[in-house]
Amino acid sequence: LAAEPAPHRPAGMASSPCGSGNFDCGLEIKTRSVEQTLVPLVSQITTLINHKDKPKKSEKTLHAIQKVGQAVSAAVGRFVAVGEAIAVENEELKEEIGLACFEARRAGNAIAQLTDVVNPEHLETDGRSTVFSDRSGMVKAARMLLSSVTKVLVLADRIVIKQIITSRNKVLVTLEQLERVTTFQEFVHIFSQFGNEMVEFAHLTGDRQNDLKDEKKKARMAAARAVLEKCTMMLLTASKTCLRHPDCESARINKDTVFHRMRYALEQVIEIVTDTWPAGDSQVLPVSLYAGIKDFKVRVESLRDSLYPLPYESMAAQLEAMVEQIEDFTDSAYTSHEQREGILQLCHLTRQHTQQLIADWTCAQSVKAKDATEEMELSVLKTCQSISELRRELHKVAVGRATDLLKLHSDQLTLQTLKAAGNEGNLEAVAEYARTMNEQKEQLVETCRLLCHISGTEPLEITCIHAEETFHVIGPQIISAAQTLALHPSSKIAKENLDVFCESWESQLCDMAVLLREINDVFEGRRGDKRTYLSLPRPGIVSDPQEQTTMAKLGLELRLLTSDVDSEVDRWEDQEHEVVRQSQSISSMAYSMYLFTRYGEQPSIVSCSVLLFFKHLFTIFFSKADDDDDALKKFLSTVIYSHLLDMCKLMAN
């Protein structure tokens, strides 16, 4: 936007360029790109406004001011040209953007004229040049320029929002078509289109997520996008299972749940980008124990500096409200007796110290003391110490519980036994292991709730809530998928379906491990709010956001293409044909290799070596397509050839 970028953010720019002092444009800036675009312009305008009020300046200073004014005017000219081009392409915003561009150009010209040292209005009687004398005119022009430029940017941002909404609408239409399909051939065709639309939607929402300023919205967007990514895989296998076994009730339930979750997540994304919420949904998080303890401690410590009239009833009531929340810990069947007793003792101690503090405060008030008395100071220290110890104990209990559960689930024994029972067609064994699965699900759901209490930041609270909801939904889906397989133990599709739901469960456990580490980081003061996109590489991977986003997009595209190949293979009559097995094996290996690079410790190095090997493997495979093998040519239909070729290109990139 400016010819010379500002080396640093000017004073008054802590939150938003247009929210500072004299330049309030009245528009809320919600994205970093808009804010960062405005920073150089605000810096240069600030230079012009904050010049020293000397009637005369040196020629060097005058020319420097003129150069800044000309730079602003030139940058505005280029900006307006782009804005007008955008207006032409977007008829519904053409008038608004056009008017804002007109105002910006006029303000830029005014600033150029006010800083023009050769302007006759800026010459003294002796012929020497002076700086512009119309300071109010400069302030007015600056305010108009910032307001109009910001308006153009915000209107352009609405175009991005419109793109996301349009993309969502396309996904919804195709989603409805997928839900109604009755044949494999129709499903393969529509799902291929759906996959392309989901990739486009993932790209748009990923960019938007990274651009959001509000960390809570960023966390909500990450959660919604994680649901969409996982559900895209589950939708494929759940739909195929229903098509293969149309009379299976458990398969239908699974499919309906996946479609419902996808629609809900799509709506959440639109609510976030448009900043509109359903009636009655305020999006205000319930006060967590961490936030309550922090606020309580601040109120206690503030008594040291000011004996303001604090209703002691409110402080006592706040403490009792926290004690009531702590019942989530003490009433849990999974909290040990020693942990429960330790928490209750600290609650009792905190209550005692708070009551003593209130008594000391009342005494100080009665003698009209100007400063905190020694007794009151001691009560403040004891109350703060006891509430801090309580917080540490709650953190220890929640984190310890989560750590133990992750270790318990590391062998995935329950999932393996469910799979085995399903493969054997043993419904009784499935029912038995389902009870174990339900219990483990309840433990994880409750643990996520405890982690939410001690998470330390609102974005992490949102991630905890997302984890709780995910475990709550996927647990029963795994059981339904296992029941379906037990009813049809020879069904390859039913087996694949159960595998996908189990993978989603394992993936959420990996996300929980990341979440646990970040909660510990916040507690120990090593980091602030963590910006996490749950579908990105898991523990052990250190890569920049651009590389992570690229890998996430690659994974989604590879998985969709792999699924397309599998769907096409299902239609092939000769399942034992060598080419059928080779193509399915290659597509499966490609996605497995992506998972390896995703979870491995050195993704870039592995990608450069192993993925090039797969490119070579694909080249060899397709060279055989030139042979006069009728069966090969029949199998390598336009659809599957295209899918495998696309995979080859992805792996090469």
Side-chain angles (χ1 to χ4, degrees):
L1 207 160
E4 299 177 2
H8 59 82
R9 176 175 290 198
M13 285 285 292
S15 58
S16 171
C18 290
S20 58
N22 298 327
F23 305 123
D24 184 10
C25 62
L27 295 170
E28 182 184 1
I29 297 175
K30 300 177 181 179
T31 59
R32 299 183 188 277
S33 57
V34 172
E35 183 178 71
Q36 292 171 1
T37 302
L38 288 170
V39 168
L41 179 61
V42 174
S43 176
Q44 292 181 333
I45 289 179
T46 301
T47 300
L48 297 176
I49 296 296
N50 292 340
H51 70 86
K52 295 180 180 179
D53 293 328
K54 292 181 180 179
K56 295 184 179 181
K57 294 183 180 292
S58 66
E59 290 296 322
K60 184 177 180 181
T61 301
L62 289 172
H63 283 291
I65 292 176
Q66 182 184 33
K67 185 177 180 180
V68 173
Q70 290 173 344
V72 170
S73 180
V76 170
R78 293 192 296 271
F79 174 83
V80 166
V82 175
E84 290 173 341
I86 293 174
V88 171
E89 297 174 358
N90 296 271
E91 188 66 30
E92 68 279 8
L93 295 176
K94 183 176 181 179
E95 184 176 349
E96 288 184 85
I97 295 179
L99 179 60
C101 287
F102 172 77
E103 292 176 349
R105 192 188 299 276
R106 186 174 64 175
N109 291 337
I111 289 175
Q113 292 176 2
L114 288 168
T115 56
D116 186 2
V117 296
V118 299
N119 192 318
E121 297 179 2
H122 299 159
L123 296 177
E124 292 290 325
T125 54
D126 59 2
R128 293 186 59 189
S129 300
T130 67
V131 72
F132 58 86
S133 57
D134 186 6
R135 185 181 181 84
S136 62
M138 176 59 74
V139 172
K140 181 179 179 181
R143 183 179 290 114
M144 179 184 293
L145 179 59
L146 282 175
S147 177
S148 55
V149 168
T150 303
K151 188 171 184 179
V152 172
L153 291 171
V154 171
L155 289 171
D157 189 62
R158 282 169 54 183
I159 297 172
V160 176
I161 294 174
K162 179 186 174 184
Q163 290 175 339
I164 294 176
I165 294 173
T166 301
S167 179
R168 186 282 309 260
N169 291 340
K170 287 162 57 179
V171 170
L172 276 179
V173 170
T174 311
L175 198 63
E176 291 178 1
Q177 294 174 351
L178 277 175
E179 198 169 16
R180 296 194 301 266
V181 297
T182 56
T183 66
F184 269 100
Q185 184 175 4
E186 184 183 11
F187 176 79
V188 169
H189 174 71
I190 298 177
F191 190 84
S192 178
Q193 176 186 342
F194 176 76
N196 292 332
E197 291 170 353
M198 281 301 298
V199 169
E200 177 192 5
F201 189 72
H203 289 187
L204 291 172
T205 54
D207 292 341
R208 188 67 179 184
Q209 177 187 322
N210 293 330
D211 200 22
L212 287 170
K213 288 174 58 182
D214 189 312
E215 294 298 331
K216 290 187 292 183
K217 290 182 181 178
K218 190 187 293 284
R220 286 192 175 101
M221 179 73 86
R225 295 180 70 235
V227 170
L228 290 172
E229 179 186 345
K230 290 182 175 72
C231 282
T232 299
M233 306 306 120
M234 292 186 284
L235 181 144
L236 170 65
T237 57
S239 297
K240 287 167 61 179
T241 304
C242 270
L243 287 171
R244 182 57 58 88
H245 311 290
D247 298 327
C248 183
E249 181 67 11
S250 56
R252 185 193 60 78
I253 291 174
N254 252 3
K255 174 188 170 184
D256 291 346
T257 302
V258 172
F259 274 89
H260 173 75
R261 289 191 74 204
M262 287 207 72
R263 288 193 175 94
Y264 183 71
L266 288 167
E267 288 307 313
Q268 281 187 313
V269 169
I270 300 306
E271 289 168 2
I272 294 165
V273 299
T274 60
D275 206 17
T276 56
W277 314 100
D281 188 358
S282 62
Q283 293 300 304
V284 176
L285 294 173
V287 178
S288 65
L289 272 170
Y290 172 85
I293 289 174
K294 183 179 179 181
D295 181 64
F296 180 80
K297 191 174 180 180
V298 168
R299 294 181 69 183
V300 169
E301 291 178 331
S302 66
L303 295 177
R304 291 171 168 166
D305 304 320
S306 175
L307 294 177
Y308 60 89
L310 173 68
Y312 65 86
E313 295 92 346
S314 67
M315 183 174 289
Q318 184 178 6
L319 177 60
E320 292 306 316
M322 288 190 294
V323 171
E324 185 176 346
Q325 286 182 296
I326 290 173
E327 291 176 359
D328 285 346
F329 289 78
T330 57
D331 290 354
S332 170
Y334 308 110
T335 301
S336 69
H337 176 73
E338 292 77 11
Q339 290 174 333
R340 185 178 293 106
E341 287 299 312
I343 293 172
L344 291 175
Q345 286 178 9
L346 286 171
C347 287
H348 179 68
L349 186 62
T350 304
R351 188 183 284 116
Q352 280 186 324
H353 289 159
T354 302
Q355 291 172 349
Q356 185 60 48
L357 173 60
I358 291 173
D360 293 337
W361 174 80
T362 303
C363 182
Q365 287 285 306
S366 64
V367 298
K368 301 188 184 306
K370 295 182 179 179
D371 299 313
T373 62
E374 291 184 6
E375 293 80 6
M376 185 176 168
E377 178 68 26
L378 181 60
S379 293
V380 168
L381 289 172
K382 287 183 176 180
T383 303
C384 289
Q385 182 179 358
S386 59
I387 197 70
S388 295
E389 290 177 358
L390 177 59
R391 180 201 166 199
R392 281 193 293 271
E393 182 64 20
L394 295 174
H395 178 87
K396 178 182 176 182
V397 170
V399 169
R401 170 94 61 83
T403 302
D404 291 343
L405 276 178
L406 288 172
K407 289 179 181 178
L408 177 65
H409 289 285
S410 60
D411 58 4
Q412 305 297 343
L413 182 60
T414 303
L415 297 182
Q416 292 174 14
T417 52
L418 267 174
K419 289 179 181 180
N423 283 320
E424 294 169 0
N426 191 336
L427 282 170
E428 291 183 1
V430 167
E432 179 183 347
Y433 296 131
R435 287 190 288 272
T436 304
M437 186 74 194
N438 266 324
E439 183 179 351
Q440 293 181 352
K441 181 259 295 183
E442 291 299 327
Q443 287 180 328
L444 287 165
V445 166
E446 185 178 282
T447 301
C448 289
R449 195 174 301 130
L450 299 188
L451 288 175
C452 184
H453 275 307
I454 56 94
S455 57
T457 70
E458 287 188 316
L460 288 178
E461 284 182 41
I462 292 169
T463 307
C464 288
I465 293 171
H466 163 72
E468 176 186 344
E469 293 173 347
T470 302
F471 284 125
H472 182 75
V473 174
I474 295 182
Q477 287 186 298
I478 290 176
I479 295 171
S480 294
Q483 291 170 343
T484 302
L485 179 58
L487 290 170
H488 309 280
S490 61
S491 172
K492 294 181 180 179
I493 290 180
K495 183 180 183 299
E496 178 193 12
N497 186 49
L498 178 56
D499 288 340
V500 167
F501 280 97
C502 289
E503 287 173 9
S504 183
W505 178 272
E506 294 167 5
S507 174
Q508 190 57 49
L509 287 172
C510 290
D511 290 335
M512 186 175 178
V514 174
L515 174 63
L516 185 61
R517 186 173 68 246
E518 292 177 2
I519 289 174
N520 269 325
D521 287 341
V522 171
F523 181 79
E524 296 171 9
R526 290 198 293 265
R527 297 182 187 176
D529 292 355
K530 180 66 177 178
R531 302 170 194 166
T532 304
Y533 171 35
L534 299 179
S535 68
L536 294 182
R538 301 315 198 269
I541 290 185
V542 180
S543 55
D544 58 47
Q546 185 63 36
E547 181 181 355
Q548 291 178 342
T549 302
T550 300
M551 288 190 70
K553 294 173 181 176
L554 172 64
L556 179 58
E557 293 166 355
L558 276 177
R559 179 57 173 164
L560 292 173
L561 288 168
T562 301
S563 300
D564 287 338
V565 171
D566 292 342
S567 297
E568 191 72 12
V569 165
D570 287 335
R571 299 173 53 208
W572 180 243
E573 295 176 358
D574 185 4
Q575 291 287 327
E576 299 303 318
H577 193 285
E578 181 184 0
V579 178
V580 175
R581 289 186 283 103
Q582 283 186 5
S583 61
Q584 197 169 23
S585 174
I586 290 177
S587 65
S588 177
M589 289 170 67
Y591 183 65
S592 297
M593 188 53 59
Y594 158 73
L595 292 178
F596 177 74
T597 60
R598 177 182 185 179
Y599 292 101
E601 294 183 355
Q602 297 184 9
S604 298
I605 296 175
V606 175
S607 296
C608 290
S609 57
V610 182
L611 298 189
L612 284 176
F613 163 74
F614 272 96
K615 177 187 177 183
H616 178 64
L617 187 62
F618 274 115
T619 303
I620 294 174
F621 181 75
F622 281 117
S623 67
K624 297 181 179 180
D626 296 330
D627 297 339
D628 294 328
D629 187 335
D630 293 338
L632 182 62
K633 290 184 178 180
K634 180 180 179 182
F635 174 69
L636 289 175
S637 62
T638 304
V639 175
I640 195 167
Y641 186 93
S642 174
H643 293 332
L644 288 172
L645 186 61
D646 287 343
M647 292 184 74
C648 179
K649 292 177 181 177
L650 280 171
M651 302 305 284
N653 292 334

